[in-house]
């Protein structure tokens, strides 16, 4: 019998966090886990940007191979550039 890896796929929207647990064949990738989770299908308007993915808060490539217990994270686009946010706070203070 082939080995499997159990991982979580997480997306934190503006109003809710969705966590899906999936079991995949060993050697599966970040993008395969996202596809298996069904999040892109189930969350209206969710577009998975391959450059905005992570595993335990560390940037991950779509083709990165997963390990047992990994937590795949789908990040939302930034609404404000962090440098611009700092500039705005500095001018307010």
């Amino acid at each position: 019998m082939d080995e499997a890896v159990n991982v979580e796929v997480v997306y934190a929207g503006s109003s809710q966090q969705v966590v899906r647990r999936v079991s995949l064949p060993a050697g599966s990738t970040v993008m395969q886990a996202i596809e298996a989770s069904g999040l892109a299908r189930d969350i209206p308007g969710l577009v998975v940007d391959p450059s905005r993915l992570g595993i335990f808060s560390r940037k991950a490539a779509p083709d990165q191979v997963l390990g047992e217990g990994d937590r795949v994270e789908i990040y939302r686009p930034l609404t404000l550039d962090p440098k611009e946010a700092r500039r705005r706070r500095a001018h307010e203070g």
Side-chain angles (χ1 to χ4, degrees), residues 22 24-25 27-37 62 66:
V22 294
L24 302 161
S28 293
T29 65
V30 167
M31 196 54 81
Q32 288 170 327
I34 292 168
E35 290 168 5
S37 75
L66 296 168

Side-chain angles (χ1 to χ4, degrees), residues 34 47-54 59-60 73-78:
I34 292 168
V47 176
V48 177
D49 179 347
S51 68
R52 302 196 59 77
L53 303 173
K59 187 171 174 66
E73 299 160 340
I74 303 169
Y75 304 124
R76 289 181 288 153
L78 296 176

Side-chain angles (χ1 to χ4, degrees), residues 4 11 18-20 22 28 40 42 44 62 77 82 84 89:
Y11 174 73
V18 182
V19 179
R20 298 270 171 90
V22 294
S28 293
D42 296 342
E84 180 61 25
R89 284 193 303 272

